[in-house]
Amino acid sequence: MESIEIIGGRGTIGCKKVILEVENLTKHFPLRRGIKGKLASNSTSTVKAVDGVSFSIMKGEFFGVVGESGCGKTTMGRTILRLLEPTKGKIVFKNTDLIALNTGQLKKIRTKMQIIYQDPYESMNPRLDVYRIISEPLRVQRIVKNLHDAFPYIKEVLEDVNMVPPEKYMTRYPYELSGGERQRVAIARALVLKPDFIVADEPVSMLDVSTRGGILNLMLKLSRERGVAFLYITHDLATARHVCHRIAVMYLGKIVEKGPTDDLVKHPLHPYTKALIEAVLVPDPKKRGFGEVLKGEIPSPIYPPSGCRLHPRCPIARDICKEVEPKLMPVDNNRMVACYFA
Amino acid sequence: MALLEVKDLKVYYKTLRGCVKAVDSVSLNIEKGRALGIAGESGCGKTSMAMAILRLLPVNGKVYGGLVMLDGVDILSMDDEEFRESVRWKRISMISQGAMNALNPVHTVGEQIIEAILTHEDVTRSEAVRRGNDLLEMVGIHPGRSKDYPHEFSGGMKQRIVIAMALSCNPDIVIADEPTTALDVMVQSQILKAIGDLRNALDLSLMLITHDLSIIAQTCDDIAVMYGGKIIEYGSVVNVYGNPKHPYSIGLLKSFPNIKAEKAPIISMPGSPPDLLSPPAGCKFHPRCPLAKGICLEKEPELAKVHPDNHRVACHNTDMLKKGTDIWNQ
Ligand SMILES: Nc1ncnc2c1ncn2[C@@H]1O[C@H](COP(=O)(O)OP(=O)(O)OP(=O)(O)O)[C@@H](O)[C@H]1O
Ligand SMILES: Nc1ncnc2c1ncn2[C@@H]1O[C@H](COP(=O)(O)OP(=O)(O)OP(=O)(O)O)[C@@H](O)[C@H]1O
Ligand SMILES: [Mg+2]
Ligand SMILES: [Mg+2]
C-alpha cells in the first residue's frame, strides 16, 4: 500500500491510514451504432471514459480530482462506488475488495460510502419534505423501522449541517429552500448513515460564490473532525487549490499527475497541468493575462491518440510520445507524473 | 456624452404571486470603446437589465421607468419597428446566455451568419458571404468550415461562431451575457482573448455580464456590482477590486478563489440573496451584513460617490470602513 505524508492542505493529516485504494480502474462504455442501436462488436469502438487509474485516499483526506469536461471524473466516482460496473481494475475499501461483493454485501457496505451530486435540484424528490428525504437511506438500510424513529438521527444530522433549529427545516419541501440549503440537505442525507467516504461530484458548482464557502467549510470540518475521506470532483482548480490536501489531474480517462496541492499548483510538472493552471483566470485587474493554452481540442475518448494522449497538443512532445504511453511514475516524495520530459 | 446611458431603469415582472422588481432604478454609462462588467449572483437582475435594453423581455416583463440613451437618443421611446431596423444588431447586439445552443441545427453556420447580415443590411449576397468569412476568420475559425453544421463544432467553436454573428452588422456595443459560463477553462481563455482582440481592432464597447469576478478583472475597464436588482457598487476595476467599499463586494471578492494566492480559508457570507417578490425593507443586503445597524433596516442607501474618480457605493456604513479592516473575519 502507498504510504504518504500529506503536507499542505489544512495542516498535516494526523492519521495515515489508507481507506480507499483504486488500482488500474477502467470503465469503457460500449458504443451504440447504427439505426437499430446494435452494440458494436468491434472492441475498439468503446468510450474509454476511465482508462486505468490508480490512487489511494487516506482517512480524513480531501482528495481532489480535476480535469476538463468529459475527462471521466464522474464516471470514475460512480465506478468506485460500483454505481457503474467497472470494466476492470481493483477497488479496495476498508480492506474489502468491492468487486468481489454481491448485491447484498454491496448494499451493506454502501452505508459507509456515499455520493453528493452536482445538482441539488435533480437529486432529490420534490414531493418529499426534508424529513422524508433524509430518512430515506435510514429506512432503505433498515436502521429505523418507521419514519417516527428516524427523528433523533435527522435532528442530529441537520444540526451537523448547520440547519438550525432543525425542526424549522424538517417540514420544508425542496422548492422552499435556497440552493445552498438544498445542497446542505443533500449532504445531510449522505451523512445520516455516518459514512467514512464521500464522493462529492461538483458539490458547489451550481451555487453562488457567496454560499459555496459554507458548504466547502462544512465538508472540510467533517474530514477534519470525523475523519471522513472525500473524493472531491471538480473542474474548478482555483477552489480545489484552497480545499484539497492532494490533487489528481485527469486527461482523457487517465491521471496525468498527482501530488500535494501546494506543490502541484506552484510547480506543475506535466505540460497539461501547466496549461490548465495557466488558463485559470486571476480575479485581479492588476495581474492580467490569459496564459498559453494548448493548441487544438480534446480528442474523442472513443479514439484516443496513440502513445501519450496529450501528444497531438503537447508543446514538448517528441517521437517517443507518439509511440509509447508514459506511465504515472513517482518523481519525488509524494508526487507522480506521466510524462517523459516533465 | 456616453455612448450608452442607462438612467433609473426599472424592470418588473408580473407573476401570480406578485410583482418581481428585477431591476430597480439602475443607472450606468458605457463610453465608446470601453468595457463594463456587470457582476452579481444568480437572480440579481443582470439578464433582465440587458433584455430590457434590447427590448427582448418576456411577455410578463415590462420597463416601468427610466431612460436608455444611445448617443443621446432615447431608444426606449422609439417604436418597435424603428428599434428593430436601426438599433438591435446594427448598434447594439447581444450574445445571450446559452446562445451557442440556440444555433439552428438544420442550417450550416455560414448560412446563418449570411442570413443575419442580409436581414439587417442592404448588401449583396456575395458581399455578405465575404463578410461572413472575414468574421469567422476573426474569431479563429477557418472560413472553409462555414459549410459545416453546428453539431460538427465543439462548444467553444460554437460560442465563437455566435460571437461572429453578433459582430455581423458592425455594432457599436456588444452585450455578452455569461459568454463562457458553460465552457472549460482553456476554451474560456481562448474566447475571452478573441473578444479582447476584436474589441481593440473594432473599437467596440462591451457590456459583459457574469457572476465570475475573474473574467471581469481580466477583460473590463469598469465594474457594476448588482445585488437584489440594484447596483450597490460601481467604479473602475482597479478601484473596486483594489479597494472595495460595499460589504457585499468585499465579501464577494473574498469568497472568490484565487489560484495564484497562498492557500487560505474560504469565507462565506451567511444567508442567501433576497427573494425579489418580497425583498427586505431598507438596504436589501442588511440581513446578511456584518455592519448592519438601525438605519440600514429602514432606509435604502443611495449609490453615492465615495471617491473623486467616480467610485460609487450604496451603503450607510462607508465611513466606518477603514482600509484593511476585515469585516468578514469569521
Ligand atoms: N453512460 C454512458 N455511455 C456512454 N458514454 C458515456 C456514458 N457516461 C459518460 N460517457 C462518456 O464518458 C466520458 C467521460 O464522461 P464523464 O461524465 O465521466 O466526464 P466528467 O469528467 O465528469 O465531465 P463533466 O466535467 O462534464 O461532468 C465522456 O466522453 C462521456 O461522453
Ligand atoms: N419571466 C419572468 N417572470 C418572473 N420573474 C422573472 C422572470 N425572469 C426573471 N425573473 C426573476 O427576476 C429576477 C432577476 O432575474 P435575471 O434572470 O435577470 O437574473 P440574473 O442576474 O441574470 O441571474 P443569473 O445569474 O441566474 O442568470 C429573478 O428573481 C428571477 O427569478
Ligand atoms: Mg461530471
Ligand atoms: Mg442571467
Side-chain angles (χ1 to χ4, degrees):
Chain A
M1 259 186 219
E2 198 179 356
S3 163
I4 56 144
E5 186 161 340
I6 301 154
I7 309 163
R10 301 289 187 78
T12 311
I13 292 189
C15 181
K16 284 183 237 154
K17 208 172 122 207
V18 171
I19 192 165
L20 175 83
E21 211 186 351
V22 171
E23 224 181 276
N24 196 23
L25 189 70
T26 302
K27 176 68 190 176
H28 293 179
F29 293 103
L31 197 62
R32 286 184 189 282
R33 273 256 186 89
I35 35 170
K36 289 189 181 143
K38 267 189 287 185
L39 289 183
S41 53
N42 185 344
S43 68
T44 57
S45 303
T46 53
V47 182
K48 290 149 196 79
V50 178
D51 211 13
V53 302
S54 306
F55 60 89
S56 335
I57 300 182
M58 313 288 139
K59 184 171 157 56
E61 186 181 13
F62 219 86
F63 186 87
V65 174
V66 303
E68 291 173 278
S69 188
C71 71
K73 307 179 294 294
T74 296
T75 306
M76 184 179 85
R78 293 177 56 85
T79 310
I80 288 172
L81 300 184
R82 270 192 70 188
L83 295 166
L84 289 169
E85 280 308 312
T87 307
K88 67 178 187 226
K90 203 167 119 190
I91 309 160
V92 179
F93 175 64
K94 295 182 85 179
N95 298 320
T96 306
D97 179 1
L98 290 190
I99 313 270
L101 301 185
N102 64 31
T103 323
Q105 294 166 318
L106 200 56
K107 179 174 162 192
K108 200 150 161 252
I109 206 160
R110 285 245 173 84
T111 59
K112 296 294 161 207
M113 28 195 333
Q114 293 288 319
I115 184 162
I116 302 166
Y117 296 97
Q118 170 170 8
D119 190 345
Y121 299 75
E122 272 175 22
S123 64
M124 49 187 76
N125 186 335
R127 287 185 303 253
L128 301 183
D129 62 15
V130 168
Y131 189 98
R132 279 163 204 267
I133 287 169
I134 300 175
S135 69
E136 215 171 58
L138 291 169
R139 284 182 291 144
V140 170
Q141 295 286 349
R142 296 185 202 285
I143 289 167
V144 299
K145 284 202 291 291
N146 52 45
L147 266 180
H148 182 261
D149 289 351
F151 185 83
Y153 292 90
I154 291 168
K155 185 172 155 65
E156 186 190 339
V157 82
L158 280 174
E159 279 166 358
D160 286 344
V161 299
N162 213 2
M163 296 182 82
V164 283
E167 287 80 2
K168 184 176 137 197
Y169 292 99
M170 285 178 186
T171 53
R172 294 216 192 156
Y173 287 84
Y175 67 86
E176 295 172 299
L177 301 170
S178 73
E181 287 168 340
R182 239 172 290 192
Q183 201 56 290
R184 280 174 200 275
V185 172
I187 295 175
R189 180 178 58 183
L191 280 181
V192 73
L193 296 171
K194 301 219 182 310
D196 301 309
F197 172 59
I198 294 177
V199 173
D201 190 354
E202 306 265 14
V204 297
S205 59
M206 302 278 284
L207 303 178
D208 274 316
V209 174
S210 78
T211 47
R212 283 181 188 176
I215 302 290
L216 290 168
N217 288 334
L218 170 65
M219 295 194 299
L220 285 170
K221 189 167 160 234
L222 290 165
S223 73
R224 206 166 47 234
E225 293 175 5
R226 303 227 184 125
V228 180
F230 281 87
L231 179 71
Y232 176 67
I233 294 174
T234 184
H235 64 273
D236 179 2
L237 197 50
T239 302
R241 190 254 178 287
H242 293 280
V243 298
C244 297
H245 295 109
R246 283 188 299 155
I247 289 177
V249 178
M250 275 184 91
Y251 184 74
L252 270 180
K254 298 260 177 197
I255 292 178
V256 297
E257 176 163 8
K258 83 183 150 116
T261 303
D262 260 349
D263 292 356
L264 185 131
V265 171
K266 285 188 186 163
H267 310 289
L269 297 172
H270 199 283
Y272 181 68
T273 315
K274 283 183 186 160
L276 206 55
I277 291 172
E278 279 278 294
V280 177
L281 302 180
V282 179
D284 183 350
K286 289 188 179 146
K287 296 197 182 106
R288 284 197 171 176
F290 290 111
E292 275 301 307
V293 297
L294 296 175
K295 59 186 186 232
E297 313 238 333
I298 303 182
S300 153
I302 302 169
Y303 304 107
S306 63
C308 172
R309 291 184 179 189
L310 189 68
H311 88 253
R313 307 177 69 194
C314 181
I316 59 168
R318 298 190 212 164
D319 287 347
I320 184 172
C321 308
K322 294 179 197 156
E323 285 145 27
V324 190
E325 178 153 16
K327 289 204 173 60
L328 192 63
M329 302 289 277
V331 196
D332 51 36
N333 47 338
N334 311 332
R335 288 193 73 176
M336 296 185 95
V337 63
C339 175
Y340 297 113
F341 306 106
Chain B
M1 185 175 50
L3 178 62
L4 181 76
E5 191 178 353
V6 173
K7 252 188 116 170
D8 288 323
L9 186 68
K10 294 189 176 73
V11 181
Y12 301 165
Y13 294 103
K14 280 218 174 78
T15 73
L16 288 175
R17 295 194 297 140
C19 173
V20 178
K21 296 188 174 178
V23 179
D24 196 11
S25 280
V26 160
S27 302
L28 52 84
N29 284 328
I30 303 182
E31 309 284 339
K32 177 102 193 119
R34 297 218 14 131
L36 170 69
I38 312 282
E41 292 176 279
S42 189
C44 70
K46 306 181 294 296
T47 298
S48 304
M49 193 247 298
M51 291 304 196
I53 293 172
L54 278 169
R55 296 198 192 183
L56 295 169
L57 286 171
V59 282
N60 66 329
K62 225 181 117 189
V63 173
Y64 278 81
L67 280 175
V68 180
M69 314 277 277
L70 183 64
D71 266 339
V73 178
D74 175 10
I75 55 170
L76 264 187
S77 60
M78 252 179 205
D79 67 55
D80 276 345
E81 191 174 326
E82 190 184 355
F83 186 87
R84 261 200 315 273
E85 294 233 313
S86 64
V87 179
R88 198 187 295 152
W89 285 89
K90 281 195 156 168
R91 306 288 315 273
I92 312 176
S93 70
M94 179 153 187
I95 302 164
S96 54
Q97 214 165 346
M100 65 183 193
N101 300 318
L103 287 171
N104 191 332
V106 302
H107 295 292
T108 66
V109 302
E111 281 168 48
Q112 293 184 58
I113 297 178
I114 292 161
E115 183 63 30
I117 299 170
L118 289 175
T119 316
H120 299 98
E121 303 216 14
D122 196 12
V123 292
T124 63
R125 195 175 163 83
S126 60
E127 169 68 23
V129 170
R130 205 175 47 81
R131 173 130 35 117
N133 287 341
D134 288 351
L135 285 165
L136 284 176
E137 189 130 34
M138 271 203 273
V139 294
I141 290 183
H142 194 275
R145 298 210 56 187
S146 66
K147 298 207 168 50
D148 291 345
Y149 290 86
H151 73 265
E152 297 172 86
F153 294 90
S154 71
M157 294 169 102
K158 276 192 272 189
Q159 194 64 338
R160 276 182 267 168
I161 290 163
V162 167
I163 293 170
M165 285 177 76
L167 297 176
S168 60
C169 303
N170 290 322
D172 301 294
I173 303 175
V174 173
I175 301 180
D177 192 357
E178 305 276 7
T180 59
T181 301
L183 303 171
D184 276 316
V185 280
M186 284 201 216
V187 187
Q188 166 169 294
S189 9
Q190 284 168 0
I191 301 269
L192 294 175
K193 197 160 174 291
I195 293 181
D197 293 347
L198 289 169
R199 230 162 55 70
N200 289 336
L202 307 173
D203 203 20
L204 270 179
S205 303
L206 175 69
M207 181 191 287
L208 195 152
I209 297 174
T210 178
H211 63 276
D212 186 332
L213 292 175
S214 67
I215 293 181
I216 294 178
Q218 293 296 326
T219 54
C220 294
D221 306 303
D222 301 305
I223 178 171
V225 183
M226 286 183 75
Y227 188 82
K230 297 232 168 218
I231 292 177
I232 53 94
E233 183 151 4
Y234 192 115
S236 71
V237 287
V238 174
N239 282 339
V240 174
Y241 284 73
N243 192 10
K245 295 275 191 193
H246 194 287
Y248 176 68
S249 327
I250 295 170
L252 208 55
L253 280 163
K254 279 201 138 216
S255 42
F256 202 88
N258 181 343
I259 196 166
K260 293 278 154 64
E262 284 303 315
K263 188 168 223 160
I266 296 199
I267 83 128
S268 67
M269 294 182 243
S272 44
D275 176 1
L276 295 180
L277 269 172
S278 51
C283 171
K284 292 193 178 102
F285 188 60
H286 86 251
R288 306 175 73 186
C289 184
L291 300 181
K293 56 184 187 196
I295 187 174
C296 309
L297 280 59
E298 286 151 24
K299 190 166 170 275
E300 184 138 47
E302 302 270 316
L303 190 65
K305 210 179 261 193
V306 290
H307 191 272
D309 52 330
N310 233 352
H311 186 173
R312 292 164 184 269
V313 179
C315 176
H316 294 302
N317 294 314
T318 321
D319 301 340
M320 280 167 58
L321 270 185
K322 289 196 195 71
K323 200 174 177 185
T325 41
D326 191 358
I327 60 165
W328 288 105
N329 189 9
Q330 292 165 325

